[in-house]
């Protein structure tokens, strides 16, 4: 019998009475100890009640006990990235469930990523403090859990229990403080009677009509409010109710809180206001690219891979970065330097039900078109579920946005600090263009807009990069060939 808190229900059975006794015992470690402690408790209770139980014929009492473990709050730990609050997306437990260490407790959504919270204890779930879609702050208690005896952190539990008792005692002391402010004093403060000059009769009218004297235009000497002033104010109030109702109807609104991914967008876009943007735009012929894609997309679809134009755009961006590596950088504003990144972690702006999010495909320079398409399919699936993990959102070095899937031809994308470049594609249009023989032909055209940080990128550098990207898109065979073969062809 291992317990530290026991509630006993005793039936004292004597010749003259039988009644239950409830005793709260602590630090009980065995039945012998329980027997001794309970006996002392009964003798003390009967003596204090004026009954001499030693002179009565008493039979042995029966004991039933209930063990209670230590109940501790399960607090939401800091999940990093400067996150201060999260939204509860899903609970994996309910009150009454038993959990072990590392069991899933719930899934939360921050303004950057989805995180699964796991249990730090073995025990019984007692209460949940939040509902789905509620916002929880870092450090607040998500739930209450009753710990098992075999938890190794017994000393920590004792400390937590003491802290809880201190908090409860402080709460009790606060609640027990008397409220010395009378209703009349509250009304005086509310009506502004303690500072405004007025006669007792005027003050009485103000109290009866629940009017704040500070709202009345005074005409008396030294700002004194006269009886005529308060009557004039009452007439104005009686004339304006209908006008106020009309104004109230016209100002009906719905407050939509900014949370989830939209909250992160608020922060990043505010940060981007300090970046001096310049935009370079061009158009690109994708006739050949469409032919290559159409040849393989059906066979890839049978293998569960959806091949859009985006994997080609991403790979072309990576190949162009190999030619202009300084654009794959983070800006160190404090030291006024560029930190050129070796990995091409290319982010893709993605629209989700929770707002705009930018996950990235890592090490694109080492991936082929099919591998990029698979990664993009995975991220799109997670985006629809609003459950993109933090690892897929971190360390982005270069960003692309495909606004063309929604509509529009040109746009001015906004740079995500500390990156220095972002590209955006418009919709595909079939337009008349001249071929090599000066014949007008129907051409599939896509527009591209590059936004760069003008503090570290000039227009010539951006134009060179755009021309490299355009070359790979208009000659997609170089995207499909290996890097070694491309270097060989470029030197011959």
């Amino acid at each position: 019998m291992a317990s530290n808190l026991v509630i006993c229900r005793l039936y004292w059975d004597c010749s003259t009475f039988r009644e239950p006794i409830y005793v709260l015992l602590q630090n009980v470690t065995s039945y012998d100890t329980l027997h001794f402690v309970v006996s002392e408790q009964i003798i003390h209770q009967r003596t204090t009640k004026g009954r001499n139980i030693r002179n009565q014929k008493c039979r042995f009492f029966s004991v039933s006990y209930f063990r209670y473990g230590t109940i501790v709050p399960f607090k939401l730990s800091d999940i990093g990235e400067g996150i201060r609050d999260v939204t509860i997306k899903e609970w994996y437990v309910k009150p009454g469930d038993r959990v072990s260490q590392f069991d899933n407790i719930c899934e939360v959504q921050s303004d950057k990523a989805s995180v699964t919270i796991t249990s730090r204890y073995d025990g019984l779930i007692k209460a949940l403090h939040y509902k789905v879609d509620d916002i929880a702050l870092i450090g607040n208690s998500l739930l209450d859990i009753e710990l098992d005896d075999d938890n190794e952190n017994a000393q920590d539990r004792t400390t937590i229990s003491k802290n809880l008792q201190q908090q409860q005692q402080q709460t009790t002391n606060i609640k027990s403080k008397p409220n010395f402010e009378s209703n009349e004093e509250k009304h005086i403060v509310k009506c502004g009677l303690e500072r405004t000059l007025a006669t007792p009769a005027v003050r009485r009218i103000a109290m009866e009509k629940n009017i704040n004297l500070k709202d009345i235009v005074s005409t008396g000497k030294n700002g004194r409010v006269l009886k005529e002033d308060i009557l004039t104010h009452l007439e104005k109030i009686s004339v304006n109710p209908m006008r106020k109702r009309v104004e109230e109807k016209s100002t009906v609104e719905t407050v939509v809180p900014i949370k989830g991914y939209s909250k992160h967008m608020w922060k990043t876009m505010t940060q981007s206001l300090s970046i001096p943007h310049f935009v370079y735009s061009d158009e690109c012929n994708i006739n050949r690219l469409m032919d290559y894609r159409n040849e393989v997309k059906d066979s890839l679809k049978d293998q569960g891979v959806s091949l859009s134009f985006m994997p080609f755009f991403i790979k072309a961006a990576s190949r162009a970065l190999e030619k202009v590596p300084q654009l794959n950088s983070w800006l160190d504003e404090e030291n006024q330097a560029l930190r050129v990144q070796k990995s091409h972690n290319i982010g893709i702006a993605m629209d989700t039900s929770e707002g705009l999010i930018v996950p990235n495909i890592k090490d694109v320079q080492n991936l082929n078109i099919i591998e990029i398409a698979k990664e993009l399919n995975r991220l799109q699936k997670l985006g629809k579920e609003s459950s993109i993990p933090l690892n897929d959102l971190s360390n982005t070095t270069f960003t692309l946005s495909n606004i063309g899937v929604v509509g529009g031809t040109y746009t001015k994308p906004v740079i995500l600090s500390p990156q220095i470049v972002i590209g955006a594609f418009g919709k595909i249009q079939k337009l008349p263009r001249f071929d090599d023989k000066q014949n007008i032909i129907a051409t599939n055209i896509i527009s591209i807009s590059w936004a760069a940080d003008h503090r570290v990128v000039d227009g010539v550098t951006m134009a060179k990069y755009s021309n490299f990207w355009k070359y790979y898109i208009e000659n997609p065979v170089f995207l499909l060939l290996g890097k070694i073969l491309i270097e060989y062809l470029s030197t011959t």
Side-chain angles (χ1 to χ4, degrees), residues 76-302:
L76 178 61
S77 301
D78 186 1
I79 56 180
E81 298 292 327
I83 295 170
R84 300 179 58 189
D85 56 70
V86 297
T87 301
I88 306 296
K89 287 192 62 180
E90 183 179 0
W91 283 106
Y92 299 126
V93 296
K94 61 182 182 299
D97 287 353
R98 183 165 292 280
V99 296
S100 301
Q101 293 185 45
F102 308 112
D103 284 353
N104 290 342
I105 296 294
C106 64
E107 183 178 357
V108 299
Q109 173 74 59
S110 72
D111 57 0
K112 296 184 178 180
S114 294
V115 179
T116 299
I117 305 298
T118 58
S119 176
R120 297 189 292 272
Y121 310 109
D122 298 334
L124 186 70
I125 303 298
K126 302 298 290 183
L128 306 180
H129 297 319
Y130 295 94
K131 298 179 181 178
V132 174
D133 292 332
D134 283 354
I135 296 177
L137 298 177
I138 298 297
N140 283 7
S141 175
L142 291 175
L143 52 84
D144 291 336
I145 182 169
E146 181 181 337
L147 303 185
D148 291 342
D149 284 337
D150 54 357
N151 277 288
E152 297 179 358
N153 300 326
Q155 185 174 0
D156 294 341
R157 288 163 41 196
T158 303
T159 304
I160 294 172
S161 179
K162 289 181 180 179
N163 292 338
L164 287 174
Q165 291 177 2
Q166 292 176 358
Q167 292 177 5
Q168 292 176 356
Q169 185 175 3
Q170 291 175 359
T171 303
T172 304
N173 292 339
I174 292 173
K175 289 182 178 179
S176 61
K177 288 183 179 181
N179 185 7
F180 295 104
E181 197 174 34
S182 65
N183 292 334
E184 186 175 356
E185 289 173 340
K186 289 181 180 179
H187 190 80
I188 289 175
V189 174
K190 182 179 178 181
C191 294
L193 303 179
E194 75 283 3
R195 293 182 181 178
T196 306
L197 293 176
T199 62
V202 171
R203 292 176 183 272
R204 176 58 58 186
I205 295 174
M207 292 181 64
E208 291 176 353
K209 301 295 184 180
N210 198 22
I211 297 173
N212 192 333
L213 288 179
K214 294 180 180 179
D215 297 334
I216 299 176
V217 178
S218 60
T219 59
K221 186 178 180 180
N222 296 327
R224 183 181 296 274
V225 178
L226 305 178
K227 184 177 180 181
E228 291 76 11
D229 298 333
I230 197 169
L231 293 177
T232 302
H233 183 74
L234 288 173
E235 291 179 1
K236 291 181 180 180
I237 293 176
S238 62
V239 172
N240 291 334
M242 187 61 66
R243 184 182 303 173
K244 288 184 178 180
R245 289 178 186 175
V246 173
E247 290 177 356
E248 289 175 358
K249 288 182 180 179
S250 62
T251 58
V252 173
E253 60 184 17
T254 301
V255 178
V256 180
I258 299 174
K259 58 182 181 180
Y261 295 151
S262 297
K263 195 169 185 179
H264 179 60
M265 184 173 69
W266 174 292
K267 297 176 183 177
T268 55
M269 293 298 100
T270 302
Q271 202 172 10
S272 298
L273 289 174
S274 62
I275 300 175
H277 288 61
F278 83 91
V279 177
Y280 177 88
S281 300
D282 200 354
E283 64 176 34
C284 186
N285 183 340
I286 62 169
N287 280 347
R288 291 181 183 178
L289 180 60
M290 291 186 73
D291 293 338
Y292 277 103
R293 172 180 172 268
N294 291 336
E295 287 180 7
V296 298
K297 69 173 184 178
D298 292 334
S299 60
L300 289 175
K301 189 175 182 180
D302 295 337

Side-chain angles (χ1 to χ4, degrees), residues 415-433:
I415 301 169
L416 302 174
S417 180
Q419 300 167 50
I420 59 174
V421 176
I422 183 174
F425 314 111
K427 65 181 180 179
I428 299 174
Q429 302 179 89
K430 184 163 287 190
L431 300 172
R433 292 294 185 268

